[in-house]
Amino acid sequence: MAQLSQLLSRLPESKDVRMSTMGHVLWVCWHARLTPAVNQTLLNYGGMLVGEEHEQALWFFFTDDVFLALARLMVWGNFNDLAVSIELFPGRLQLGGKREASLLLDGALCAQEMLVRDTFEVWVHPKSREGKNALPGIAFEPQPGRQGMCSVDWATIVVDVRMPYSSTQAWFALLHPLGSPLDKAFQSGWSSMFKRIEALLQKHKIKSIVHETFVIVAVDNLLMLRTFLRDYLHSFDKQNNDPGDYWPCVCVVADRNNLNFNTDLPKKIGLQWDNLMPDFPYMSYRNAYLLGEGFTVRDLRFTGEQTSMDSWCNVLLDENSISGRSIPLLMAAQLSGGTAGGAGCFYCGIHTHTAAECPTRTYFPSRAEIWDEMAGMDLEKINEGFRQIEMVLDRKGVDGYEELLEGEDDAAVLLQAVLDLNSPSQLRNVPRHWLYRMREPDPDEEKPARDDSPAWDLLDRLAQTAPDNLPDLETKLKQAIARHQRDPRLRMVRAFLLIEKNDFSHAAACFREAASLTPAPTLQAWNEYLLARLAEEQGQFGPAIEQYAQVLRVMPQWRDVQYRGIVCRVKMGFAEQVLEQIVKLVREEPAYFNRILIDPALERGRLLILSSLYDLWEEAKKNAEEERVKINALEARLSAWFSEDHPVQMQLGHKIRKLEALSNVNNYIAFLQVVEERPTLEKELDESIEREVEDLRNRYKYYLDVLQEIRDEASWFPFPSVLREFSSDFNESAGIINWAFACNFNEAEIFQRAQASMPRLAALLRNLKKRLQFLRMVRDGTLFAMTMGKTFFWVETVGLLFCFIGIPIVVFWGESLYLGWLRDLLGENQWSIQKVLSVIVTMIALGLAALRTTLVFDRKREKLLEQARSQREKAQQMRLERIRKQRMAEAENARRVQQAEAEREMQRQLKERMRKD
C-alpha cells in the first residue's frame, strides 16, 4: 500500500522559498512497472514531476490541462490494462534558493494511503473540481472514498471517448538578431543564421512570420516547444557547427494567451530588446519547468521582490558547457536593471538613478585597498552581499546607498567596489586627477598644493549642490569661464554640471574644449575618455568604442580604457566576440577578474563571460587546493620545529594561519595570492630554521667554551672530596653538551629537544659559575699559601743557618778572621742576640715570601692551568684518535662484509646460469 507521507518525506526541505504558486497535485500510484505512456502523457500536458519513489510519484500542474491529461489517460485505459490509481487535489509548489522543489499540502491529505487495483482510477478532490463543470467532454461522478483516503467528497472522472482532449497550451517564439541591418557583417552573418533557422522551421512544419528584423514563430503544443528549443539551442553550439553560420540572436518565448499571430507581437510583449542577452531563450519560470529533463533553468539576477512563476529566466541545454562550467554568481537587479531606453548614470553606470542622485558625488575618493578587500571575499559572500544590496535598494531606493555604504559588512565593501568600477569618470576623483595628472601618487609623496584657480571651489560646490540649484551654479561657472578663458578645468566642471542636468550634447562640447585647452597629454586623454564614457551611457556604443580605441593609442598602459571598450561590445550583445579579449586581460592583469565578476554593465553577456572565466577559475582553484596541502604541511613543519611560545612560531605561524584562511576563500584573486605567497613563506621558514639551527649551534659552542673554562679553573683543586655537587652538575652539563654535538640539529625532533635542554644547561652553568667563585678562592688561597710557604721555608732555613753557624764562628774564630770588633759587639749575650736574630730572620722570610709570591702567583697559576689544559687536549686527541680508528675498523668490516656479499651473489648468479645452460 502506497503512503503519501513517505513520498513527501523524501522531498527536500526549502528554508528559503524563492517562489511559490498554487496548482493541481497528482498522486500517481501503480503496481510493479508503470506504463511509459502515463508519464509521457502527463509530461506533454504540462506536468512537472516533483518526486518519485517505489510505485508512487507526485506531479504538479500549473493549469487546468491536468483534466485533459487525465481524460486522455481515461480513454487510453478503456482499451488497455492500466493498474494505476490517481488522486487529484490542490497544493502549493515551492521552489527554494537552489530551485529544489517541494509541495505544501493540507495535513489530512498528507496522511493518506492508497491501495492500487487492477483498473485505472482517478479520484478528484472537491476543491480541485470547483468551477470545472463546463469542461467539454468531462464530468465528475461523486464516489465514496476508499480505505486510507481522507474524508472528503471525492469524485471520479467520466469522459466522452469521442473528444480529442488536446492541450490548450500554446506559445509564440520571437527571434531578433543583434546589430544594424545596414552593417555588412550583419547582412552576411544573419543571412547564414536565418537559413539554418528556416530549415529548422520547415523540418518541423512550424508556422512563422518574418517582419523587419524579427522572426515570429507559432508553437502549438509543449512537445513542439521542447523540440524547437532543443534544435534551436543546438544551432548555437559553436563546437559542432561552423562558426561562420552563427549570428547572435535574442530569443523570447511568451504564452499565447490573447495575443494574435501578427507583426505587432514584438511591441505587445513589452520587452526592451536591446538589453536582452543573445543565444539563451527568455521565458517564464512556469514555462521553463514545463520543458522537463534536458534543459537547465538559469536565473537572470537576484531580485528583492517576491519572484513569481511568471518572472523571466533563461534556459539552456544540459549538455551545454555553460550548464556545469560557469561561476555561480547572481547580480542584484537594482544594480543591473533600469528604465527602458533610459541612459545610465554617467558616474557609476547604474541605470536606477541619475548622475545628480549618484552616491559617488559626495562619497570619499576611490581607495585602492577596496580591491584587496574584495580579494578576501568568498563567492558565497559576494552573492549574499548582492542579495543584501538588492533588499535595501528595493526597500529604500536611492536613499539605501547611504545606509549600505556606511556599513562595515561585506555588502558595504561590495557596493564600494561596484561604484569604483567607473572611478576615472567620477566627480569625487577629479581633484586627484588634477593634482597628479592621472597617475597614482607614491605612499610617502607630499600632496601638491592647489593653485588659485576658481575651478577648485566651483567643483566642491557642485558636489554639494542639489539638482534644483544647478542653474545658479551654472551662471557662476559661465562668469568664471569668461574671466579665465584658458582654464580647461572650468570647462570640465561645467561639463559635469551639464551631465547632471542631462544636457549631454553641451557636456560633450565642454569636454572637447577642455581637451583642446589642456597642455598635459594625460589630462587631454582623460577628457577624451570622458567623451567616450558619455557616448557609452547614451547607448552610442560604436562611437564610444572608436573613442576608447583612440585614447588607448595615446595611453596604451591605461587598461581601464581597454576594459571600457570590451564593456561596450558586451552591451551591444556581442559578448561572444570579446571572450578571448576578456581572458587575455585577466591573464595579464588578474585584478580585473573581480571587476568583471561584479560589473553590472556586463549583464547582457554574463552567462557567456562567467562560463569563459570558469577555466581560469578552476585552474586557479586547483592550484590553490594543491597549495593548501602544502600550507598544512608547512604548518605541521613549523609546529614540529618550534614550540608555541617561540618567536618564529608566533611571527611565522600568524602568517601561515592567515594564508591558510585565505586558501579557504572561494575567490580567484585569493587563489592566486595563495599560490604566490606559499613559496615565500616556505622560503622564510627554511631561512628561519637555518638561522635558528645556526644560533642554537653557536649557543652550544658558547656553553662548551664556558664549561671548558670552568673545568680548566677547577682542574687544579687541592680538595677533591669537596667537589661532589660541583662534579655532579659539571658531569650533567657535559653530558648535555656532548649529546648535542653528537646529534644532527637539522632534524626537527632533535632541534626541539636540544632547545628544551637549553634552560637546564644554562641553569647548571650558572650554578657552576657561582660555585666556581668559592672554588677559585679556595684554590687561589691554597696555591698562594703553598707558594708563600715554600719561599718562606727556604728563606727561613737559609737565615737560621746563617744565624746558627755565623755567630759561633764569630765568637770562636773572630780574632783569626779579623772580626774581633764583632765579637766584642756580641759580648757575652750571644745567645740572646741569636734569639733576636732568629725572630728578625723569620720576619724577613715572611716578607720576602709574601713579596715573591705576589710577584709570581699569576704566572704560576696560569702555568698550572695551562698544564691542565694541555693534559685535557691530549686526552681529547687520544679519544678522537681512538674513535677514528674504531670508525675506520667498522668501515673496513662493512666493506669486507659487502665484498663477501657481492662475491656470494656473483657465485649464486653463476650457478643459476650454469643450471639454465
Side-chain angles (χ1 to χ4, degrees), residues 891-909:
E892 181 65 22
N893 291 335
R895 187 186 64 79
R896 290 177 180 176
V897 170
Q898 185 177 5
Q899 184 177 1
E901 288 289 338
E903 291 178 355
R904 284 195 294 271
E905 181 64 21
M906 290 179 60
Q907 292 177 0
R908 186 187 63 80
Q909 294 177 358

PDB file of all heavy atoms in Angstrom, residues 891-909:
ATOM      1  N   ALA A 891      84.239   0.649   9.232  1.00  0.00           N
ATOM      2  CA  ALA A 891      84.085   0.816   7.788  1.00  0.00           C
ATOM      3  C   ALA A 891      84.758  -0.310   7.031  1.00  0.00           C
ATOM      4  O   ALA A 891      84.231  -0.814   6.019  1.00  0.00           O
ATOM      5  CB  ALA A 891      84.652   2.171   7.359  1.00  0.00           C
ATOM      6  N   GLU A 892      85.908  -0.709   7.495  1.00  0.00           N
ATOM      7  CA  GLU A 892      86.624  -1.803   6.849  1.00  0.00           C
ATOM      8  C   GLU A 892      85.852  -3.105   6.969  1.00  0.00           C
ATOM      9  O   GLU A 892      85.734  -3.887   6.005  1.00  0.00           O
ATOM     10  CB  GLU A 892      88.007  -1.948   7.474  1.00  0.00           C
ATOM     11  CG  GLU A 892      88.863  -3.050   6.862  1.00  0.00           C
ATOM     12  CD  GLU A 892      89.215  -2.789   5.411  1.00  0.00           C
ATOM     13  OE1 GLU A 892      89.163  -1.609   4.988  1.00  0.00           O
ATOM     14  OE2 GLU A 892      89.515  -3.758   4.699  1.00  0.00           O
ATOM     15  N   ASN A 893      85.281  -3.331   8.169  1.00  0.00           N
ATOM     16  CA  ASN A 893      84.468  -4.549   8.342  1.00  0.00           C
ATOM     17  C   ASN A 893      83.248  -4.516   7.436  1.00  0.00           C
ATOM     18  O   ASN A 893      82.876  -5.537   6.844  1.00  0.00           O
ATOM     19  CB  ASN A 893      84.030  -4.661   9.806  1.00  0.00           C
ATOM     20  CG  ASN A 893      85.201  -4.972  10.728  1.00  0.00           C
ATOM     21  OD1 ASN A 893      86.218  -5.540  10.298  1.00  0.00           O
ATOM     22  ND2 ASN A 893      85.086  -4.613  12.000  1.00  0.00           N
ATOM     23  N   ALA A 894      82.606  -3.322   7.352  1.00  0.00           N
ATOM     24  CA  ALA A 894      81.432  -3.213   6.475  1.00  0.00           C
ATOM     25  C   ALA A 894      81.824  -3.459   5.026  1.00  0.00           C
ATOM     26  O   ALA A 894      81.067  -4.093   4.265  1.00  0.00           O
ATOM     27  CB  ALA A 894      80.792  -1.826   6.635  1.00  0.00           C
ATOM     28  N   ARG A 895      82.991  -2.924   4.613  1.00  0.00           N
ATOM     29  CA  ARG A 895      83.439  -3.134   3.241  1.00  0.00           C
ATOM     30  C   ARG A 895      83.685  -4.609   2.977  1.00  0.00           C
ATOM     31  O   ARG A 895      83.320  -5.130   1.906  1.00  0.00           O
ATOM     32  CB  ARG A 895      84.715  -2.339   2.997  1.00  0.00           C
ATOM     33  CG  ARG A 895      85.186  -2.351   1.547  1.00  0.00           C
ATOM     34  CD  ARG A 895      86.524  -1.667   1.417  1.00  0.00           C
ATOM     35  NE  ARG A 895      87.569  -2.364   2.148  1.00  0.00           N
ATOM     36  CZ  ARG A 895      88.181  -3.467   1.703  1.00  0.00           C
ATOM     37  NH1 ARG A 895      87.846  -3.997   0.535  1.00  0.00           N
ATOM     38  NH2 ARG A 895      89.119  -4.047   2.420  1.00  0.00           N
ATOM     39  N   ARG A 896      84.288  -5.277   3.952  1.00  0.00           N
ATOM     40  CA  ARG A 896      84.558  -6.713   3.769  1.00  0.00           C
ATOM     41  C   ARG A 896      83.248  -7.502   3.688  1.00  0.00           C
ATOM     42  O   ARG A 896      83.126  -8.422   2.862  1.00  0.00           O
ATOM     43  CB  ARG A 896      85.406  -7.220   4.925  1.00  0.00           C
ATOM     44  CG  ARG A 896      86.848  -6.690   4.904  1.00  0.00           C
ATOM     45  CD  ARG A 896      87.607  -7.170   6.121  1.00  0.00           C
ATOM     46  NE  ARG A 896      88.986  -6.668   6.096  1.00  0.00           N
ATOM     47  CZ  ARG A 896      89.861  -6.883   7.089  1.00  0.00           C
ATOM     48  NH1 ARG A 896      89.474  -7.579   8.160  1.00  0.00           N
ATOM     49  NH2 ARG A 896      91.071  -6.396   6.981  1.00  0.00           N
ATOM     50  N   VAL A 897      82.298  -7.144   4.555  1.00  0.00           N
ATOM     51  CA  VAL A 897      81.012  -7.845   4.519  1.00  0.00           C
ATOM     52  C   VAL A 897      80.327  -7.614   3.179  1.00  0.00           C
ATOM     53  O   VAL A 897      79.773  -8.539   2.575  1.00  0.00           O
ATOM     54  CB  VAL A 897      80.113  -7.364   5.680  1.00  0.00           C
ATOM     55  CG1 VAL A 897      78.696  -7.903   5.515  1.00  0.00           C
ATOM     56  CG2 VAL A 897      80.698  -7.822   7.011  1.00  0.00           C
ATOM     57  N   GLN A 898      80.366  -6.360   2.680  1.00  0.00           N
ATOM     58  CA  GLN A 898      79.738  -6.039   1.394  1.00  0.00           C
ATOM     59  C   GLN A 898      80.436  -6.780   0.275  1.00  0.00           C
ATOM     60  O   GLN A 898      79.789  -7.284  -0.653  1.00  0.00           O
ATOM     61  CB  GLN A 898      79.791  -4.534   1.165  1.00  0.00           C
ATOM     62  CG  GLN A 898      79.046  -4.081  -0.086  1.00  0.00           C
ATOM     63  CD  GLN A 898      79.077  -2.585  -0.232  1.00  0.00           C
ATOM     64  OE1 GLN A 898      79.726  -1.885   0.553  1.00  0.00           O
ATOM     65  NE2 GLN A 898      78.393  -2.088  -1.250  1.00  0.00           N
ATOM     66  N   GLN A 899      81.773  -6.845   0.356  1.00  0.00           N
ATOM     67  CA  GLN A 899      82.512  -7.559  -0.682  1.00  0.00           C
ATOM     68  C   GLN A 899      82.182  -9.036  -0.653  1.00  0.00           C
ATOM     69  O   GLN A 899      82.010  -9.673  -1.700  1.00  0.00           O
ATOM     70  CB  GLN A 899      84.009  -7.340  -0.465  1.00  0.00           C
ATOM     71  CG  GLN A 899      84.881  -7.968  -1.560  1.00  0.00           C
ATOM     72  CD  GLN A 899      86.361  -7.660  -1.354  1.00  0.00           C
ATOM     73  OE1 GLN A 899      86.751  -6.985  -0.385  1.00  0.00           O
ATOM     74  NE2 GLN A 899      87.188  -8.160  -2.254  1.00  0.00           N
ATOM     75  N   ALA A 900      82.048  -9.591   0.560  1.00  0.00           N
ATOM     76  CA  ALA A 900      81.709 -11.009   0.667  1.00  0.00           C
ATOM     77  C   ALA A 900      80.307 -11.266   0.113  1.00  0.00           C
ATOM     78  O   ALA A 900      80.060 -12.270  -0.575  1.00  0.00           O
ATOM     79  CB  ALA A 900      81.795 -11.453   2.135  1.00  0.00           C
ATOM     80  N   GLU A 901      79.376 -10.343   0.426  1.00  0.00           N
ATOM     81  CA  GLU A 901      78.017 -10.491  -0.102  1.00  0.00           C
ATOM     82  C   GLU A 901      78.023 -10.425  -1.630  1.00  0.00           C
ATOM     83  O   GLU A 901      77.298 -11.167  -2.306  1.00  0.00           O
ATOM     84  CB  GLU A 901      77.115  -9.382   0.463  1.00  0.00           C
ATOM     85  CG  GLU A 901      76.767  -9.550   1.930  1.00  0.00           C
ATOM     86  CD  GLU A 901      75.816 -10.710   2.166  1.00  0.00           C
ATOM     87  OE1 GLU A 901      75.123 -11.101   1.207  1.00  0.00           O
ATOM     88  OE2 GLU A 901      75.789 -11.226   3.294  1.00  0.00           O
ATOM     89  N   ALA A 902      78.823  -9.493  -2.178  1.00  0.00           N
ATOM     90  CA  ALA A 902      78.891  -9.374  -3.630  1.00  0.00           C
ATOM     91  C   ALA A 902      79.453 -10.647  -4.253  1.00  0.00           C
ATOM     92  O   ALA A 902      78.971 -11.107  -5.310  1.00  0.00           O
ATOM     93  CB  ALA A 902      79.741  -8.166  -4.007  1.00  0.00           C
ATOM     94  N   GLU A 903      80.483 -11.235  -3.623  1.00  0.00           N
ATOM     95  CA  GLU A 903      81.060 -12.475  -4.153  1.00  0.00           C
ATOM     96  C   GLU A 903      80.049 -13.611  -4.104  1.00  0.00           C
ATOM     97  O   GLU A 903      79.930 -14.405  -5.045  1.00  0.00           O
ATOM     98  CB  GLU A 903      82.312 -12.829  -3.361  1.00  0.00           C
ATOM     99  CG  GLU A 903      83.467 -11.857  -3.600  1.00  0.00           C
ATOM    100  CD  GLU A 903      84.685 -12.215  -2.770  1.00  0.00           C
ATOM    101  OE1 GLU A 903      84.570 -13.157  -1.947  1.00  0.00           O
ATOM    102  OE2 GLU A 903      85.731 -11.550  -2.929  1.00  0.00           O
ATOM    103  N   ARG A 904      79.311 -13.696  -2.959  1.00  0.00           N
ATOM    104  CA  ARG A 904      78.296 -14.747  -2.862  1.00  0.00           C
ATOM    105  C   ARG A 904      77.205 -14.558  -3.918  1.00  0.00           C
ATOM    106  O   ARG A 904      76.709 -15.531  -4.501  1.00  0.00           O
ATOM    107  CB  ARG A 904      77.682 -14.756  -1.462  1.00  0.00           C
ATOM    108  CG  ARG A 904      78.581 -15.377  -0.403  1.00  0.00           C
ATOM    109  CD  ARG A 904      77.811 -15.691   0.859  1.00  0.00           C
ATOM    110  NE  ARG A 904      77.342 -14.487   1.521  1.00  0.00           N
ATOM    111  CZ  ARG A 904      78.025 -13.797   2.440  1.00  0.00           C
ATOM    112  NH1 ARG A 904      79.216 -14.236   2.804  1.00  0.00           N
ATOM    113  NH2 ARG A 904      77.531 -12.720   2.986  1.00  0.00           N
ATOM    114  N   GLU A 905      76.804 -13.277  -4.192  1.00  0.00           N
ATOM    115  CA  GLU A 905      75.785 -13.007  -5.195  1.00  0.00           C
ATOM    116  C   GLU A 905      76.289 -13.379  -6.587  1.00  0.00           C
ATOM    117  O   GLU A 905      75.533 -13.942  -7.401  1.00  0.00           O
ATOM    118  CB  GLU A 905      75.403 -11.523  -5.157  1.00  0.00           C
ATOM    119  CG  GLU A 905      74.332 -11.118  -6.141  1.00  0.00           C
ATOM    120  CD  GLU A 905      73.005 -11.775  -5.868  1.00  0.00           C
ATOM    121  OE1 GLU A 905      72.788 -12.234  -4.715  1.00  0.00           O
ATOM    122  OE2 GLU A 905      72.179 -11.852  -6.807  1.00  0.00           O
ATOM    123  N   MET A 906      77.582 -13.094  -6.858  1.00  0.00           N
ATOM    124  CA  MET A 906      78.140 -13.473  -8.156  1.00  0.00           C
ATOM    125  C   MET A 906      78.158 -14.988  -8.308  1.00  0.00           C
ATOM    126  O   MET A 906      77.836 -15.512  -9.385  1.00  0.00           O
ATOM    127  CB  MET A 906      79.553 -12.907  -8.290  1.00  0.00           C
ATOM    128  CG  MET A 906      79.595 -11.391  -8.442  1.00  0.00           C
ATOM    129  SD  MET A 906      81.274 -10.753  -8.561  1.00  0.00           S
ATOM    130  CE  MET A 906      81.848 -11.582 -10.016  1.00  0.00           C
ATOM    131  N   GLN A 907      78.523 -15.702  -7.228  1.00  0.00           N
ATOM    132  CA  GLN A 907      78.542 -17.156  -7.303  1.00  0.00           C
ATOM    133  C   GLN A 907      77.134 -17.716  -7.519  1.00  0.00           C
ATOM    134  O   GLN A 907      76.929 -18.666  -8.273  1.00  0.00           O
ATOM    135  CB  GLN A 907      79.150 -17.731  -6.025  1.00  0.00           C
ATOM    136  CG  GLN A 907      80.631 -17.424  -5.881  1.00  0.00           C
ATOM    137  CD  GLN A 907      81.201 -17.951  -4.575  1.00  0.00           C
ATOM    138  OE1 GLN A 907      80.479 -18.551  -3.765  1.00  0.00           O
ATOM    139  NE2 GLN A 907      82.505 -17.733  -4.357  1.00  0.00           N
ATOM    140  N   ARG A 908      76.149 -17.073  -6.830  1.00  0.00           N
ATOM    141  CA  ARG A 908      74.767 -17.543  -6.988  1.00  0.00           C
ATOM    142  C   ARG A 908      74.293 -17.338  -8.426  1.00  0.00           C
ATOM    143  O   ARG A 908      73.663 -18.218  -9.023  1.00  0.00           O
ATOM    144  CB  ARG A 908      73.850 -16.796  -6.023  1.00  0.00           C
ATOM    145  CG  ARG A 908      72.410 -17.317  -6.003  1.00  0.00           C
ATOM    146  CD  ARG A 908      71.533 -16.421  -5.161  1.00  0.00           C
ATOM    147  NE  ARG A 908      71.450 -15.092  -5.714  1.00  0.00           N
ATOM    148  CZ  ARG A 908      70.656 -14.768  -6.720  1.00  0.00           C
ATOM    149  NH1 ARG A 908      69.890 -15.688  -7.310  1.00  0.00           N
ATOM    150  NH2 ARG A 908      70.636 -13.538  -7.188  1.00  0.00           N
ATOM    151  N   GLN A 909      74.580 -16.155  -9.013  1.00  0.00           N
ATOM    152  CA  GLN A 909      74.189 -15.891 -10.388  1.00  0.00           C
ATOM    153  C   GLN A 909      74.894 -16.841 -11.352  1.00  0.00           C
ATOM    154  O   GLN A 909      74.300 -17.290 -12.353  1.00  0.00           O
ATOM    155  CB  GLN A 909      74.481 -14.441 -10.752  1.00  0.00           C
ATOM    156  CG  GLN A 909      73.639 -13.426  -9.990  1.00  0.00           C
ATOM    157  CD  GLN A 909      74.000 -11.991 -10.334  1.00  0.00           C
ATOM    158  OE1 GLN A 909      74.918 -11.762 -11.130  1.00  0.00           O
ATOM    159  NE2 GLN A 909      73.305 -11.031  -9.724  1.00  0.00           N
TER     160      GLN A 909
END
